[in-house]
Structures are given as structure tokens and as C-alpha cells.
């Protein structure tokens, strides 16, 4: 695992990168504030899993800065890139505080999350520019996949044609030998 990064300067939210994103990966921005994540939450004190998307392989979606998640997530996810997996340690003041979130999370609990940033996108009703850019990007990816599939199919067809031609040559040689042998026997 990587180094521990103190995202708040007071040890309240610590991030350790488990898997780096690809170099050209993007992260959340003002125009892409909606994020999709996979995660598993564990109580630091007991190691007990209190919430996860892994069991049913679901995605959790939320908008950064909208107040729908604990403070530590708003802070940590802003620093991540698509494809990155990080361990996030959240002190109580950046999680559920002295109230906790009964029955799963006791008061003053430090939480550990393993979070994977799966995607970022514009909020619904975002400017047409950012949405059309995203559509264009997705369309380009689709074209690339289709082109790759067509090339693969063409290569497969060429291999099959080459196999058929080789089989025909072998059969022709066998037929020639068979016919050649019969011809010698009849002539004598």
C-alpha cells in the first residue's frame, strides 16, 4: 500500500491509495460532481463490516458537496480518480460524531472504508455542453469497441480461410497420391 495522506491536516481523514488510477484518469470536478463508488465500511475498533456494496456488486451514487454523505467522503472522493481504490480512515468528527448511527455505528466511532471510484458524471439537468461532451466521449468509446470487434472478426475469418485452404491442399495431395497409386497398379 501507498503512503498515508492526511487530507484534513488534523488526522481526521486519512487516505492510503491501494490501487492507483491510470495516468490519464479523470476525477470529480464542478462539471462532474456525481460519483459512482463501490465500497466497504468497517468499524475500526472491532473490524466489523457495517455496510458494503460488494455483496450484491451494487454501485452507490451521490453528488459531492450536496450533504448526502458523511463529511469525510466529500473530502476524500474529491481527491480520487476513476479506477482508484483507496482506504479512507474517518475520525468521528468527520463521520457520525458523538451520535453515531445506531444500531450499526456506535457513538464516537472511527470508520475505515475501502472505496473504489467507478465513474464521475454531470448532475441531471447539467449544461448541455458538458452532457454533449460526455455523450461524444461515450460514442467515441463505442466506435472504438465496434472497430476492435470488427478487426477481431476479420482476423478470425482470415484464420478460418487459411485453415480451409491448408485443409484443401492437404486433401488435394492425398487425392493425388491415391489416384497416382491406382494409376501405377493398373498399368502393369
Amino acid at each position: 500500500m501507498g503512503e498515508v495522506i492526511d487530507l484534513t491536516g488534523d488526522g481526521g481523514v486519512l487516505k492510503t491509495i491501494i490501487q492507483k488510477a491510470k495516468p490519464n484518469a479523470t476525477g470529480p470536478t464542478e462539471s462532474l460532481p456525481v460519483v459512482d463508488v463501490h465500497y466497504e465500511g468497517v468499524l475500526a475498533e472491532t473490524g466489523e463490516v457495517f455496510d458494503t456494496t460488494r455483496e450484491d456488486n451494487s454501485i452507490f451514487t451521490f453528488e459531492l458537496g450536496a450533504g448526502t454523505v458523511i463529511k469525510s467522503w466529500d473530502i476524500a472522493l474529491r481527491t480520487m480518480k476513476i479506477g482508484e481504490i483507496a482506504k479512507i480512515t474517518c475520525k468521528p468528527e468527520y463521520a457520525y460524531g458523538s451520535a453515531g448511527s445506531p444500531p450499526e455505528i456506535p457513538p464516537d466511532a472511527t470508520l475505515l472504508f475501502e472505496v473504489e471510484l467507478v465513474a464521475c458524471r454531470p448532475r441531471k439537468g447539467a449544461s448541455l455542453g458538458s452532457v454533449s461532451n460526455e455523450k461524444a466521449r461515450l460514442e467515441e468509446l463505442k466506435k472504438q469497441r465496434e472497430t476492435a470487434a470488427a478487426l477481431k472478426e476479420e482476423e478470425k475469418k482470415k484464420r478460418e480461410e487459411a485453415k480451409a485452404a491448408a485443409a484443401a491442399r492437404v486433401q488435394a495431395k492425398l487425392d493425388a497420391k491415391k489416384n497416382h497409386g491406382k494409376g501405377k497398379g493398373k498399368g502393369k
Side-chain angles (χ1 to χ4, degrees), residues 4-184:
V4 176
I5 305 161
D6 185 345
L7 300 178
T8 54
D10 63 0
V13 182
L14 304 175
K15 173 183 162 185
T16 306
I17 297 173
I18 296 171
Q19 176 182 301
K20 288 184 176 184
K22 290 182 178 162
N24 61 345
T26 59
T29 62
E30 286 297 318
S31 61
L32 300 171
V34 178
V35 296
D36 294 337
V37 298
H38 279 299
Y39 71 92
E40 181 168 87
V42 175
L43 297 173
E45 192 174 313
T46 64
E48 179 185 339
V49 175
F50 62 85
D51 197 9
T52 184
T53 60
R54 288 189 183 157
E55 287 176 8
D56 60 1
N57 199 28
S58 61
I59 297 279
F60 177 62
T61 302
F62 67 96
E63 183 176 338
L64 288 170
T68 57
V69 294
I70 57 176
K71 197 179 198 179
S72 56
W73 274 40
D74 267 336
I75 293 166
L77 267 293
R78 289 179 195 280
T79 70
M80 293 179 71
K81 303 265 187 232
I82 295 172
E84 180 179 322
I85 300 174
K87 175 184 168 192
I88 310 296
T89 303
C90 315
K91 296 291 183 192
E93 54 273 21
Y94 291 93
Y96 294 98
S98 59
S101 184
E104 292 87 10
I105 301 168
D108 297 313
T110 295
L111 307 178
L112 306 174
F113 289 95
E114 184 174 296
V115 181
E116 175 185 4
L117 180 57
V118 177
C120 305
R121 61 179 181 275
R123 69 180 58 85
K124 286 185 178 171
S127 72
L128 292 177
S130 62
V131 172
S132 63
N133 288 344
E134 181 67 6
K135 281 184 180 177
R137 187 184 70 78
L138 292 173
E139 196 60 38
E140 180 60 29
L141 285 173
K142 182 179 176 186
K143 284 180 188 174
Q144 289 173 0
R145 284 194 302 270
E146 288 170 352
T147 301
L151 286 172
K152 212 175 203 178
E153 193 60 37
E154 195 173 306
E155 288 172 4
K156 182 179 175 185
K157 189 176 178 183
K158 284 180 182 178
R159 283 193 306 272
E160 288 172 357
E161 288 172 354
K163 279 182 185 177
R169 284 192 305 274
V170 167
Q171 189 61 49
K173 284 182 182 180
L174 289 173
D175 289 346
K177 281 184 180 181
K178 196 185 287 182
N179 292 335
H180 186 60
K182 286 181 181 176
K184 280 185 178 179

